[in-house]
Amino acid sequence: TGGITTIDPGYKNTGSCQSAITFLDGEKGILRYRGYSIEELAEKADFLETAYLLIFGELPTKEQLAKFDSDIKSESHVDEDMKKILDGFPKSAHPMGVLSALTSALIAFNPSTVNVDSEEEMYNAIVKLLAKFPVLAAWAMRKKKSQPLDYGDNSLGYVENFHKMMFSKPNEAYTVDKEIIAAIDKLLILHADHEQNCSTSTVRIVGSSHAGLFASISAGISALWGPLHGGANQAVIEMLEAIKNDGGDTKKYMAKAKDKQDPFRLMGFGHRVYKNFDPRAKIIKVAADEVLGQLGIQDPVLDIAKGLEKEALEDPYFVDRKLYPNVDFYSGIIYRALDIPVEMFTVMFALGRLPGWIAQWREMRLNKEPIGRPRQVYTGENLRAFKEVSER
Ligand code: SDX
């Protein structure tokens, strides 16, 4: 067994690193980025300054933020040949697969981002990725909707420019309600980091081989895609739609979620760390009411979600297992109200989590962490001699 006698499936009780970026208290439902509460940042910060805070450790001064913004804008072009890779995908391709592939393909057009040892080289790779990632994310949606690509407008803010690249119409002037940009900005802040979750651990372990930032983030996107992780926000809406189309019978789905023979899980519920309310879910639930109210949208799916939450919070199966709504439970309801297609929900999560992934990758590299290489408890065959095929 190589000296290892116990294993920790899913690393439920394993600390993988020391980090100064994000603090979580699962019992109390506390989440802080570099010591600032998520509640304050969601109210008072914007996404770009939150990205700066996560990556560099301090809220930026006006000058620092202006330089960060202009450095990013100067890198917002994406090589024209990248379109050939996008064109190669069928329209049916899932945007997360497109985004992961295009992020990896970016390396070929930005070779200086691979072997980065100095902080300056890391900074250059970081601003390139922060600039080009929203372009690729928007391209994934344009592909899905068979629309011509939009190259953005550097006179707009980071989030508004992303929204324009997603929603501009070829023959119309682009306009958008400020509330919509504010809602997306808040959602991206709430998704920005979450210590050593599955996709961040993926970014760290791929980055620990010095494969480079873009390769590490491409791997993180793939990990986030799974329905047990970021993919849950798409699965939640699909579940709520199924309940609505099934006459709104939440009891039937609660029973399915509790039936051990049934693989169905109540998507958007439960969390490895939070054994109390996910603080992000609380903020997003309030924001969902606000955004739908501002847009004058009555979405029956929101009422079903609230009904499901109420039932679960009173159900011993869920209460005993401390299963509460998590970040993915209400976010899709806002994305839907903003006309974001359901297959793009996890792309929205990936854009939000990008600064957190980058911050964690940078910390891992600056701390000169060793390559990730866990051991195992061997349970296979003992030594045995080869047999010729005639003897098998
Ligand atoms: C995210 O880690 C992070 O921080 C992730 C994230 C981030 O910001 O990066 O917060 C984002 O991924 C949020 C989680 C989104 N996923 C879902 O909503 C999918 C549904 N949730 C579950 O699959 C589950 O709760 C997990 C994956 C979130 C957590 O899984 P764990 O910690 O491995 O817990 P478990 O599967 O061992 O479950 C413990 C018990 C089991 O029952 P028993 O075997 O004890 O009888 O709770 C049950 C599970 O069957 N359970 C559920 C359930 N979640 C757990 N039963 C029904 N519905 C659920 N959703």
Side-chain angles (χ1 to χ4, degrees):
T1 57
I4 301 291
T5 52
T6 57
I7 55 174
D8 178 18
Y11 307 127
K12 294 193 176 190
N13 298 297
T14 293
S16 60
C17 63
Q18 290 182 323
S19 177
I21 299 169
T22 291
F23 173 75
L24 278 199
D25 180 320
E27 294 306 322
K28 299 191 188 103
I30 293 172
L31 173 58
R32 297 185 197 131
Y33 298 160
R34 300 284 188 178
Y36 295 93
S37 79
I38 192 67
E39 290 77 12
E40 269 214 292
L41 290 168
E43 268 316 301
K44 300 174 183 168
D46 74 26
F47 181 56
L48 200 60
E49 75 184 322
T50 303
Y52 187 100
L53 169 67
L54 281 165
I55 296 167
F56 303 109
E58 296 297 334
L59 285 169
T61 63
K62 200 162 175 306
E63 296 71 27
Q64 287 167 331
L65 187 56
K67 179 181 183 310
F68 192 49
D69 185 41
S70 71
D71 288 349
I72 289 169
K73 284 179 170 158
S74 68
E75 286 292 351
S76 58
H77 59 284
V78 170
D79 194 289
E80 196 61 7
D81 283 343
M82 283 285 289
K83 282 179 57 185
K84 293 188 182 116
I85 299 165
L86 179 69
D87 290 346
F89 282 98
K91 206 177 120 191
S92 58
H94 194 287
M96 284 296 274
V98 173
L99 185 57
S100 177
L102 291 182
T103 300
S104 188
L106 267 182
I107 301 167
F109 300 93
N110 299 276
S112 69
T113 63
V114 179
N115 299 312
V116 291
D117 295 310
S118 72
E119 282 210 50
E120 193 202 350
E121 287 167 330
M122 289 184 198
Y123 180 81
N124 291 334
I126 287 168
V127 290
K128 280 181 191 290
L129 189 57
L130 283 168
K132 300 175 198 300
F133 193 90
V135 180
L136 303 182
W139 281 11
M141 178 151 125
R142 306 294 280 207
K143 169 86 191 182
K144 177 64 64 188
K145 297 175 84 171
S146 298
Q147 289 174 331
L149 303 182
D150 180 305
Y151 285 78
D153 173 351
N154 275 343
S155 70
L156 301 174
Y158 190 83
V159 174
E160 190 168 355
N161 190 24
F162 171 63
H163 186 272
K164 175 187 182 293
M165 291 189 283
M166 290 250 284
F167 288 104
S168 69
K169 293 186 173 58
N171 42 23
E172 283 176 28
Y174 167 74
T175 58
V176 65
D177 285 348
K178 291 301 172 216
E179 288 106 351
I180 289 179
I181 302 305
I184 295 175
D185 203 285
K186 180 181 278 191
L187 280 168
L188 294 176
I189 289 172
L190 291 168
H191 285 80
D193 195 50
H194 215 238
E195 61 134 277
Q196 305 313 315
N197 59 85
C198 177
S199 55
T200 298
S201 299
T202 302
V203 168
R204 276 182 171 259
I205 202 161
V206 171
S208 72
S209 77
H210 292 196
L213 173 62
F214 293 16
S216 307
I217 301 298
S218 174
I221 295 166
S222 296
L224 187 71
W225 191 358
L228 295 185
H229 191 13
N233 61 13
Q234 173 177 344
V236 166
I237 288 295
E238 288 165 348
M239 172 185 74
L240 294 172
E241 279 280 316
I243 295 172
K244 183 184 79 173
N245 299 336
D246 197 2
D249 176 9
T250 50
K251 290 208 177 337
K252 175 177 154 190
Y253 287 81
M254 289 287 287
K256 278 171 64 73
K258 297 187 286 189
D259 175 359
K260 289 300 168 200
Q261 306 314 318
D262 190 329
F264 175 77
R265 287 195 157 191
L266 216 54
M267 301 313 277
F269 269 81
H271 198 277
R272 174 62 60 74
V273 179
Y274 289 124
K275 298 308 168 193
N276 193 320
F277 240 92
D278 181 332
R280 301 166 296 177
K282 274 187 192 168
I283 300 171
I284 295 174
K285 181 180 175 181
V286 170
D289 277 325
E290 280 168 3
V291 171
L292 271 67
Q294 283 161 358
L295 298 176
I297 294 173
Q298 286 293 334
D299 187 350
V301 150
L302 177 56
D303 301 329
I304 292 175
K306 288 179 177 174
L308 212 47
E309 175 189 334
K310 188 172 178 309
E311 274 189 61
L313 296 186
E314 292 160 5
D315 184 303
Y317 175 96
F318 286 83
V319 173
D320 294 351
R321 291 169 178 78
K322 300 184 179 195
L323 302 177
Y324 293 88
N326 59 49
V327 67
D328 292 316
F329 190 59
Y330 286 104
S331 55
I333 289 162
I334 299 179
Y335 293 143
R336 229 159 92 103
L338 303 181
D339 284 332
I340 294 171
V342 68
E343 282 197 317
M344 283 292 290
F345 287 8
T346 312
V347 169
M348 295 302 292
F349 194 144
L351 179 60
R353 185 53 51 89
L354 181 64
W357 285 335
I358 290 173
Q360 299 272 352
W361 170 85
R362 180 174 178 272
E363 182 179 69
M364 176 275 303
R365 288 298 304 270
L366 291 179
N367 288 353
K368 300 197 181 323
E369 299 274 353
I371 186 168
R373 200 270 186 230
R375 296 301 307 277
Q376 63 175 21
V377 170
Y378 178 70
T379 57
E381 298 285 343
N382 280 332
L383 178 65
R384 47 184 176 162
F386 182 81
K387 279 192 189 132
E388 290 305 328
V389 67
S390 56
E391 295 167 19
R392 291 172 209 160

